[in-house]
């Protein structure tokens, strides 16, 4: 590899790191709280978490009706 | 000091700076923060459908936005479109190259795409009287590992040539090339607002990209091997990755770091695929050991397992309405669970 392209790559790496260093970060406790809130707010709509009643489950085998 | 030496020093300095900035906001970990949250119930899902039709290993599947149709790709050289409710095959698309690694359904339901060791992404129109190839996107210098439609006009690809690319489907040309990974790109996921995407690669890094300006905005460290699977949390603020290092990790975008790791000493198989439930609470991760483990995303505990495949689980997907989870395997079957 020519020394010129290694230099160019290095310059790009430094520029990229500068960009990533300038990111504004929030506290993990805040991030965790927001995530929890989102999960809990949407929990009731999450079929895989709360289950889906057989009648409204499109993947359930249709039951035949029995006339008594 | 030569310029090279100077820049190396500057790079090291910046890396140290980033590490320190991340530590400074690391005032807790997710599991501790979730101590007060009620544990997720033990998740026991039943196989509702076993989709038989492929004749070889299944490598990928993707749900249509209608929550009913899905596309699967197998190295038998076919894409199959399934009606998940009836379990019937709706369409079969023969592939020019059987070495397929990925497939995708356009949000409109009009198009599907596939690609693999042919280094190309081929787009098909499902709505013409006979399924037609509408474009062959040919510019990557390595295999196509993943593709995702933004619309009927734009598609994102990830490649073994270490780049990701945004393509214009009218011209068939790359609009933007995303350069930064130093290993094969293995997976990508679109943010819920479609403004950014996240990629995982064999350099064990996950990177967040701005779709429009082409910039890598953030890089996430932590994994010690290839990242094979990646997904956004529905909230858009966090991503989950699955790796050959046998763990899954959640990275929070605003805290700019790993916030929890899903691992078990007994698990020594790589993670091949993952999908999240609609609320983001459950992580379905497919492993090389033929199982799909279910993790509580907030507490980091295993809450269930999907056993039933006779070979590696290669792909997992939850439809937009969250009504079920689909697993695809090297055993040539797809299973639908809920």
């Amino acid at each position: 590899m020519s020394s010129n392209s290694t230099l160019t790559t290095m310059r790009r790496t430094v520029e990229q790191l500068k960009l990533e260093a300038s990111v504004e970060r929030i506290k993990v406790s805040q991030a965790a709280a927001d995530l929890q809130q989102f999960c809990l707010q949407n929990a009731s709509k999450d079929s895989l978490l709360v289950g889906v009643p057989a009648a409204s489950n499109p993947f359930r085998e249709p039951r035949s009706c029995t006339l008594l | 000091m030569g310029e090279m030496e100077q820049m190396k020093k500057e790079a090291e300095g910046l890396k140290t700076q980033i590490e320190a900035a991340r530590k400074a906001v690391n005032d807790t970990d997710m599991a501790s923060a979730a101590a007060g949250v009620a544990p997720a119930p033990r998740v026991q899902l039943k196989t509702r459908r076993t989709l038989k039709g492929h004749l070889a290993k299944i490598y990928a599947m993707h749900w249509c936005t209608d929550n009913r149709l899905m596309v699967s790709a197998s190295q038998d050289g076919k894409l199959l479109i399934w009606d998940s409710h009836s379990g019937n095959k709706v369409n079969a698309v023969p592939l020019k190259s059987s070495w397929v690694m990925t497939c995708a359904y356009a949000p409109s339901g009009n198009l599907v795409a596939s690609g693999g060791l042919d280094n190309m992404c081929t787009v098909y129109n499902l709505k013409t009287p006979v399924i037609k190839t509408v474009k062959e996107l040919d510019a990557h210098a390595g295999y196509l590992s993943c593709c995702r439609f933004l619309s009927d006009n734009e598609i994102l690809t990830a490649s073994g040539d270490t780049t990701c690319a945004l393509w214009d489907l009218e011209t068939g040309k790359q609009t933007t090339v995303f350069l930064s990974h130093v290993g094969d790109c293995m997976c990508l996921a679109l943010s819920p607002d479609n403004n950014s995407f996240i990629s995982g690669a064999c350099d064990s890094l996950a990177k967040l990209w701005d779709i429009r300006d082409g910039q890598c905005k953030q890089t996430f460290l932590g994994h010690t091997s290839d990242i094979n699977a990646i997904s956004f949390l529905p909230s858009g603020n966090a991503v989950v990755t699955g790796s050959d290092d046998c763990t899954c990790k959640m990275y929070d975008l605003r805290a700019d770091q790993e916030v929890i790791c899903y691992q078990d000493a007994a698990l020594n198989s790589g993670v091949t695929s993952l999908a999240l439930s609609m609320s983001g609470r459950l992580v379905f991760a497919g492993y090389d050991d033929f199982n799909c483990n279910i993790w509580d995303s907030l507490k980091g505990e295993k809450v269930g397992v999907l056993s039933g495949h006779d070979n590696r689980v290669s792909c997992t997907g939850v439809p937009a309405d969250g009504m079920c989870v689909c697993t695809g395997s090297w055993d040539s079957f797809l299973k639908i669970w809920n």
Side-chain angles (χ1 to χ4, degrees):
Chain A
M1 207 199 269
S2 76
S3 59
N4 259 341
S5 67
T6 326
L7 214 57
T8 316
T9 311
M10 203 59 211
R11 278 193 201 117
R12 258 196 233 129
T13 306
V14 170
E15 287 315 304
Q16 181 60 38
L17 283 168
K18 278 186 189 160
L19 204 136
E20 292 181 20
S22 69
V23 159
E24 293 216 359
R25 297 170 184 85
I26 65 168
K27 287 205 190 316
V28 174
S29 54
Q30 178 66 58
D34 290 351
L35 244 128
Q36 279 169 34
Q37 191 182 41
F38 184 88
C39 286
L40 298 174
Q41 268 175 356
N42 289 287
S44 57
K45 295 183 267 169
D46 189 338
S47 306
L48 292 168
L49 191 62
V50 303
V52 44
S56 49
N57 186 352
F59 300 103
R60 187 88 184 194
E61 288 308 321
R63 286 201 143 82
S64 51
C65 294
T66 315
L67 290 172
L68 295 168
Chain B
M1 207 190 290
E3 193 186 347
M4 194 64 184
E5 277 308 304
Q6 248 178 333
M7 288 199 296
K8 275 189 187 165
K9 255 194 125 185
E10 205 178 347
E12 288 314 305
L14 286 162
K15 284 182 189 168
T16 310
Q17 197 186 311
I18 292 173
E19 208 186 313
R22 284 173 171 161
K23 266 214 175 79
V25 295
N26 192 304
D27 57 346
T28 185
D29 65 278
M30 279 278 290
S32 311
V37 176
R42 184 92 204 144
V43 180
Q44 282 166 320
L45 307 180
K46 295 203 176 90
T47 305
R48 302 293 179 187
R49 299 276 183 278
T50 298
L51 305 178
K52 305 182 191 199
H54 279 301
L55 304 172
K57 294 175 174 171
I58 292 172
Y59 274 80
M61 62 80 46
H62 195 214
W63 283 96
C64 179
T65 50
D66 72 358
N67 303 308
R68 182 173 179 141
L69 297 176
M70 29 175 272
V71 60
S72 61
S74 163
Q75 295 207 344
D76 63 4
K78 288 211 172 48
L79 292 183
L80 290 178
I81 315 289
W82 306 84
D83 174 340
S84 61
H85 289 186
S86 65
N88 294 331
K89 292 177 264 306
V90 170
N91 268 315
V93 185
L95 303 174
K96 261 198 205 168
S97 162
S98 63
W99 303 111
V100 65
M101 295 173 69
T102 182
C103 60
Y105 225 123
S108 65
N110 294 331
L111 310 170
V112 288
S114 67
L117 296 183
D118 57 358
N119 296 4
M120 292 196 310
C121 180
T122 309
V123 180
Y124 308 88
N125 189 334
L126 296 177
K127 303 296 187 173
T128 43
V130 177
I131 296 176
K132 269 174 38 163
T133 301
V134 296
K135 270 293 180 295
E136 283 178 339
L137 307 174
D138 190 3
H140 277 301
Y143 58 82
L144 205 83
S145 53
C146 193
C147 58
R148 285 292 177 260
F149 285 92
L150 273 102
S151 66
D152 279 5
N153 292 314
E154 292 185 296
I155 193 168
L156 271 169
T157 55
S159 170
D161 67 9
T162 77
T163 73
C164 295
L166 176 69
W167 304 74
D168 177 318
L169 287 177
E170 223 170 307
T171 62
K173 298 273 182 280
Q174 291 179 332
T175 318
T176 313
V177 182
F178 302 89
L179 302 161
S180 187
H181 278 296
V182 295
D184 301 12
C185 291
M186 298 303 291
C187 52
L188 70 88
L190 271 169
S191 67
D193 68 8
N194 273 13
N195 289 330
S196 41
F197 76 95
I198 194 109
S199 61
C202 291
D203 55 13
S204 61
L205 303 172
K207 284 177 180 285
L208 177 74
W209 307 85
D210 181 309
I211 292 182
R212 297 306 156 194
D213 71 18
Q215 286 277 355
C216 168
K217 297 300 191 198
Q218 288 171 258
T219 299
F220 300 97
L221 296 82
H223 279 298
T224 52
S225 188
D226 306 358
I227 295 177
N228 298 316
I230 199 159
S231 183
F232 264 92
L233 248 92
S235 64
N237 286 330
V239 299
V240 180
T241 53
S243 165
D244 272 350
D245 68 11
C246 312
T247 74
C248 295
K249 288 175 188 290
M250 184 192 290
Y251 295 95
D252 188 280
L253 302 184
R254 295 177 307 158
D256 187 42
Q257 58 192 280
E258 176 184 335
V259 291
I260 193 167
C261 182
Y262 310 103
Q263 64 183 356
D264 188 318
L267 282 172
N268 51 14
S269 306
V271 180
T272 61
S273 52
L274 64 86
L276 299 169
S277 73
M278 222 198 93
S279 67
R281 186 68 193 266
L282 301 175
V283 179
F284 294 87
Y287 291 72
D288 285 345
D289 69 359
F290 309 177
N291 287 327
C292 179
N293 288 314
I294 311 173
W295 299 89
D296 176 336
S297 67
L298 299 178
K299 289 179 172 287
E301 297 160 350
K302 209 170 87 158
V303 295
V305 70
L306 302 177
S307 302
H309 284 292
D310 295 324
N311 206 324
R312 178 185 289 197
V313 174
S314 55
C315 49
T316 333
V318 172
D321 67 0
M323 193 61 79
C324 66
V325 55
C326 178
T327 52
S329 166
W330 278 11
D331 67 8
S332 81
F333 302 124
L334 295 143
K335 285 179 183 286
I336 306 221
W337 315 72
N338 74 7

